[in-house]
Amino acid sequence: MRLQIRPLLAGLAALALSAGIAAAQNFPTKPITMLIPFAAGGPTDVVGRLIGEHMSRTLGQPVIIENAVGAAGTLAGQRLMAGASDGHTILIGHTGTHAAAVSLNPNLRYRPVEDFAHIGLVNTNPIFVNVRKDHPANTLRELVTWLKANQATANNAHAGVGSVSHTTCLLFHSVIGVKVAGIPYRGTAPAMNDLVGGKVDYLCDQGVNVAPQTRAATIKTLAIAQDQRAALLPDVPTSTEAGVPDFKVIVWNAMFTHKDAPPAAIEKLNGALRAALNDATLKAKLTEIGAEIPTAEQQTPNGLRAFIASEIARWTPIIQAAGVRIE
Ligand code: MLT
């Protein structure tokens, strides 16, 4: 009996394996779901939609955006891990969800390096410090002075503890020596609405969300947290020019899929991401909204994995020095 079952099982296993290989080679066989960890209309959403639209053309299947908001963006990562491993679900994570969260959140339910398949780095973004338009501060130095006098009552909007807007303002606070309670939102799209509405005092945010409001003078943008001014908002001084040279930070978005996704699916997703990032029209659009294209190495799965590990190492001492932890 055993002699007959063995070849049968071996045959079935071989059949299943070849069916699996064929499915992976035909990937994608249905629409791709792109999980965005923050609210629609915000920085992650805008970049994700642009990239997703281009990838859908390369892959021959729609890329459907799902704003899976919660737990400062980490819920989307949990969703990806718990879902199907066929590569049809992808996630746009960022500096907050896949680097800073590691040291901020002792209960983080995933390990950004080990628990995902890495597809590639998508873009980097500059960070700007912004105040409501009727705020008394007109320069970064004036905001520092104001914060030192008003830290107990100041309202700092952010997209949840561990988000980019939270961690970058945290860095700003640590550099200037203040502690301010934040007001969490589901993303910086709604946080920006309240800054424009004058309901909160200030917000550290990515250029794509900031520039339209700065140009319309519905907010005041006091500095960009880097050494060079950005073409996006050339009149905004650098943090060095504005007197806080130690406040420098660049944030990024990156693409992931399920850890056990078939290698052929990862390869196709990566090919579609690289096609998007190297398309002249899309590149121009991304540059126009202030996003920068990563290096060729960072656009690969291995390059992203190494980058994420280096970013976790970079953010851990910053978060520890700021003495903040989500409990
Ligand atoms: C967003 O898309 O709303 C932002 O990336 C949130 C954040 O500040 O991390």
Side-chain angles (χ1 to χ4, degrees), residues 36-46 72 94-97 125 127 158-160 162-168 185-190 203-206 209 251 253:
I36 300 282
F38 297 99
T44 318
D45 184 77
V46 169
H94 71 10
T95 318
T97 58
N125 275 325
I127 286 289
H158 61 67
S163 62
V164 154
S165 39
H166 174 249
T167 44
T168 54
Y185 289 80
R186 290 165 64 79
T188 57
L203 167 69
C204 293
D205 201 6
Q206 299 162 66
N209 209 32
V251 300
N253 291 312

Side-chain angles (χ1 to χ4, degrees), residues 24 45 98 120 145 184 188 216 255 259 268 279:
D45 184 77
H98 282 72
T145 307
T188 57
M255 190 178 289
K259 175 168 153 303
K268 286 201 179 164
D279 176 285

Side-chain angles (χ1 to χ4, degrees), residues 141-174:
R141 274 206 186 91
E142 286 174 6
L143 178 63
V144 173
T145 307
W146 182 87
L147 276 173
K148 288 189 172 166
N150 295 284
Q151 54 183 306
T153 51
N155 291 322
N156 171 216
H158 61 67
V161 176
S163 62
V164 154
S165 39
H166 174 249
T167 44
T168 54
C169 252
L170 197 63
L171 178 59
F172 174 53
H173 296 155
S174 141

